[in-house]
Amino acid sequence: MAKDRFLAQGVTGTKRQRGGGKPTSSRKPTKDQAKRPGKPRKHHGGSDEEGGDDESDNEVGDVNDLEHRYGTDENDMSSEDEFLETAAEKRLRLAKSYISKVKASTEMDADEYDAAQIDRDLIAERLTSDARERSGKWSRRIADQFAYPVDESSMARVLKNGHLLPVTCVAISPNGQFVYSGSKDGSLIKWQRETGRKLKVFKGQKKKNPAPNHNLGHCDHILSIAISSDNKYVATGGRDRRIHIWSVDEDRHLIAFHQHKDAVTGVVFRRGINHLYSCSADRMVKMWNVDELAYMDTLFGHQDIILSIDALQREQAVTTGSRDKTLRLWKIADEAQLVFRGGSTTDQNRITKALSEGKQDAIEAAAEVRAIIEQNPSTALHAEEYRDLLRSLAAENTEFCEESVDVVAMIDEETYVTGGDSGALCLWSVQKKKPVFIHHVAHGVQPTTASTDTVSTPAVEADGDSSPAIRLPTRSRWITALAAVPFTDLFFSASSDGLVRLWRMRPGKVPGFDLVNAIPVAGFVNGLAVRELSPEGSLSVRKDIVLAVAVGVEPRLGRWAKEKARNVHMKEGFGRAV
């Protein structure tokens, strides 16, 4: 009678070989195995029976590592029970022990803080928000928080006595400490945001200076500013065809790039990495590595000057080509570009469609903004004025054609909003080549007077009677600046009508946006910058919204119009967003 294997080897010779001995196998080789002596069997440290046991040994080793790391609870199990438990049971026991110790370490007096509230706010909500941003689609809804009457005196800070000529651009550092502004006088000024104090002035250079002096600063209008996400670098582009890089901490000039052949109209940093994208009137988009202070690549495609550029986290950028009436999404990693055709028309049919309230989407949109209108009566007044304007334009059979796409802002990685000379705000999606929603004449029309509304023609009859005067067409106010809070439902638009308008993206599957509020700002708004800032020392996920506005008496790219306004350098608006 064969001896029982368990009784013959004892407990130490069973499944777990803790003594290091090798048990002998009782299985006899088969005939096939005996015929193939040249092909040895694959052994994993023992016989076939132990082939899967060594995997258990590796798992036990991992669990032992957990045991050394987190310790064990001696009161829970005896040594014999611990020996007989499987690897999965031991892993589960150690996990429970670790969780109980974490809970014990976070338990404090109720007067100090609420651990559950901290966990919910700082861990769950923040991780969810980060995951949504990584997906590249907007998800946070904050626009409803700004549906309140605006008191300009309490929310605005005017930075004066800085530039000599109209301000053309503005930028806020990601940490919220500094504000940079550029002007037509070629100077760059660094401001303290909280106090409004002027910290540093980088003066413009004279055009007649020798070429080496041009590398110390701009010798013509500064047209764009961008600040890196790590608060280290400031990039400026100007009409002198140069891009200058400045150090934020050291307040000094680092390098000047000369590769563009015409005015640099836009610069933007990619979020999370110091890669700079620039656009120019030479119809090219260039990429730069600011950490290495080096040129990277050039992108071609636009048929006219590029006026605006924007980018977020992905390796891509979106640009507007002014009079080629295209919006282009540059997929840099794929070496490809998507072309979106603009040139929308505001005519009687489209105005009538915008005024129609019989469609389901218009009814739903009206129901959604009803609460906002009730909170802010001024929003209801602006909405009623807009409807009256559309009715008058429809009665006159007025038509506006978008001949130039001037500005762009990214809502998220797949949604953009543009503005142009027709005054229409267009919402775009990567899924379609045409705008998914158009808000016509967003900032109204140019005012007309008796002297400019009509033009008399010379006499054409022998008796001296003049022909009837020719009425000039109504002109809309073009969109001069756009800015968006990334991955939220809030964005801003501006023109020369004296208002910076706040817009709210519509939820659900129906694309569109509605007016939330309006901030009074007199003059030409040449630039907008917006940042989300966490309150200092606060553990809450709520953030402040800071808006900077560059205002001048003239447009950014010319002098063909003038508004009765002072050269206000910047205004800041403060709000609390969830």
Side-chain angles (χ1 to χ4, degrees):
M1 179 177 179
K3 294 182 180 181
D4 186 85
R5 181 169 176 266
F6 180 83
L7 297 178
Q9 296 182 1
V11 177
T12 58
T14 56
K15 187 175 183 180
R16 298 179 183 177
Q17 301 294 331
R18 296 182 181 269
K22 295 184 178 179
T24 59
S25 176
S26 60
R27 297 179 58 184
K28 296 181 180 180
T30 61
K31 295 181 180 180
D32 295 336
Q33 292 175 351
K35 292 180 180 179
R36 292 176 296 181
K39 294 184 179 181
R41 291 174 51 86
K42 294 183 180 180
H43 296 284
H44 301 276
S47 63
D48 295 340
E49 189 175 352
E50 294 176 345
D53 297 340
D54 281 348
E55 296 180 1
S56 300
D57 292 342
N58 295 334
E59 295 179 357
V60 173
D62 296 338
V63 176
N64 291 332
D65 292 339
L66 293 175
E67 186 173 359
H68 290 305
R69 193 178 306 167
Y70 305 119
T72 57
D73 193 352
E74 297 179 355
N75 297 327
D76 290 346
M77 300 189 66
S78 63
S79 59
E80 184 178 358
D81 294 336
E82 180 182 356
F83 176 76
L84 294 178
E85 69 177 342
T86 62
E89 292 173 347
K90 188 172 185 178
R91 190 177 293 107
L92 178 61
R93 175 173 59 82
L94 292 175
K96 290 181 178 180
S97 176
Y98 173 67
I99 293 174
S100 63
K101 290 182 178 181
V102 171
K103 290 182 178 180
S105 63
T106 57
E107 288 178 358
M108 299 183 68
D109 296 336
D111 297 337
E112 296 184 8
Y113 65 86
D114 185 358
Q117 181 68 23
I118 295 296
D119 291 341
R120 182 171 59 254
D121 291 344
L122 297 184
I123 299 176
E125 294 185 14
R126 189 162 298 178
L127 289 177
T128 302
S129 177
D130 293 343
R132 289 174 178 174
E133 288 190 7
R134 284 194 296 269
S135 67
K137 297 182 180 180
W138 72 272
S139 57
R140 289 188 295 131
R141 306 199 59 83
I142 65 174
D144 294 341
Q145 305 294 323
F146 299 91
Y148 54 83
V150 175
D151 184 5
E152 185 182 6
S153 60
S154 63
M155 66 174 291
R157 179 181 293 116
V158 181
L159 306 183
K160 301 179 181 180
N161 304 323
H163 298 286
L164 301 178
L165 294 179
V167 184
T168 57
C169 49
V170 67
I172 306 174
S173 61
N175 57 12
Q177 295 183 3
F178 310 114
V179 174
Y180 286 83
S181 60
S183 170
K184 288 187 176 183
D185 58 11
S187 64
L188 174 68
I189 298 183
K190 179 181 180 181
W191 308 82
Q192 184 73 33
R193 183 187 65 84
E194 295 182 352
T195 62
R197 185 167 60 94
K198 185 166 51 178
L199 300 178
K200 183 69 176 179
V201 178
F202 305 93
K203 295 183 179 180
Q205 304 297 313
K206 294 182 180 180
K207 296 182 180 180
K208 296 182 180 180
N209 283 354
N213 292 334
H214 291 173
N215 295 331
L216 301 178
H218 288 278
C219 59
D220 210 333
H221 300 176
I222 297 179
L223 301 178
S224 56
I225 296 180
I227 304 178
S228 61
S229 57
D230 59 359
N231 301 285
K232 289 185 178 180
Y233 304 105
V234 175
T236 56
R239 205 168 71 169
D240 56 358
R241 302 177 296 177
R242 291 175 173 84
I243 299 174
H244 291 272
I245 307 297
W246 316 79
S247 173
V248 174
D249 297 331
E250 301 176 1
D251 290 334
R252 68 183 182 91
H253 184 269
L254 297 179
I255 196 173
F257 297 129
H258 306 265
Q259 281 81 351
H260 278 294
K261 300 178 181 180
D262 209 332
V264 181
T265 55
V267 289
V268 62
F269 277 96
R270 180 183 169 190
R271 296 182 66 180
I273 188 171
N274 291 333
H275 286 179
L276 179 70
Y277 304 140
S278 63
C279 64
S280 171
D282 59 7
R283 301 177 293 177
M284 291 185 289
V285 176
K286 292 184 180 292
M287 298 181 295
W288 318 84
N289 189 333
V290 181
D291 285 330
E292 303 294 336
L293 299 179
Y295 161 79
M296 294 176 61
D297 200 359
T298 300
L299 307 176
F300 303 89
H302 278 289
Q303 303 302 313
D304 201 2
I305 62 175
I306 307 174
L307 292 180
S308 181
I309 187 170
D310 200 7
L312 291 177
Q313 294 177 349
R314 295 179 184 174
E315 194 175 359
Q316 62 183 24
V318 61
T319 55
T320 57
S322 66
R323 296 195 178 275
D324 69 1
K325 295 184 284 188
T326 62
L327 173 73
R328 293 178 185 256
L329 175 65
W330 306 87
K331 294 187 175 182
I332 300 171
D334 300 335
E335 298 183 354
Q337 58 178 291
L338 299 180
V339 182
F340 305 89
R341 302 292 177 182
S344 61
T345 302
T346 302
D347 54 15
Q348 188 176 17
N349 294 332
R350 289 177 173 84
I351 293 175
T352 304
K353 181 179 179 180
L355 285 171
S356 176
E357 298 180 356
K359 293 189 176 182
Q360 185 66 24
D361 56 351
I363 297 175
E364 293 177 357
E368 292 169 359
V369 301
R370 187 177 298 115
I372 298 176
I373 293 177
E374 292 176 356
Q375 296 179 31
N376 189 2
S378 62
T379 303
L381 179 61
H382 291 312
E384 186 60 32
E385 291 176 353
Y386 176 72
R387 286 192 291 268
D388 293 340
L389 173 63
L390 292 184
R391 294 188 187 99
S392 63
L393 294 177
E396 297 174 1
N397 196 14
T398 306
E399 180 175 327
F400 301 120
C401 296
E402 187 177 49
E403 299 295 338
S404 176
V405 184
D406 296 336
V407 288
V408 62
M410 298 184 72
I411 305 297
D412 57 34
E413 301 287 2
E414 300 180 355
T415 309
Y416 329 109
V417 59
T418 61
D421 59 351
S422 68
L425 288 173
C426 300
L427 185 65
W428 302 80
S429 173
V430 294
Q431 308 298 331
K432 292 186 178 181
K433 296 295 184 179
K434 290 290 184 179
V436 296
F437 180 80
I438 301 177
H439 190 91
H440 300 280
V441 203
H443 284 263
V445 296
Q446 297 280 359
T448 56
T449 60
S451 58
T452 61
D453 194 18
T454 57
V455 175
S456 299
T457 59
V460 294
E461 296 182 359
D463 57 1
D465 293 338
S466 299
S467 60
I470 300 175
R471 181 180 177 86
L472 294 178
T474 304
R475 295 180 298 170
S476 62
R477 294 185 183 270
W478 69 92
I479 309 300
T480 59
L482 285 174
V485 183
F487 306 106
T488 68
D489 63 338
L490 178 65
F491 70 92
F492 304 81
S493 67
S495 183
S496 59
D497 61 337
L499 294 173
V500 175
R501 299 177 188 264
L502 285 71
W503 304 91
R504 164 186 175 271
M505 296 284 292
R506 293 176 183 174
K509 298 181 180 180
V510 180
F513 49 84
D514 302 291
L515 182 66
V516 174
N517 213 329
I519 303 174
V521 178
F524 274 99
V525 178
N526 293 323
L528 292 173
V530 61
R531 288 290 184 187
E532 278 189 296
L533 303 178
S534 299
E536 186 176 357
S538 174
L539 297 178
S540 174
V541 295
R542 292 176 176 267
K543 298 181 180 181
D544 291 334
I545 300 296
V546 179
L547 175 68
V549 185
V551 188
V553 298
E554 301 170 352
R556 180 174 70 114
L557 299 175
R559 304 187 64 182
W560 58 83
K562 205 165 188 177
E563 290 289 335
K564 294 181 179 180
R566 298 173 59 186
N567 287 332
V568 181
H569 297 153
M570 195 202 70
K571 292 188 178 183
E572 288 186 273
F574 300 89
R576 178 59 58 85
V578 179

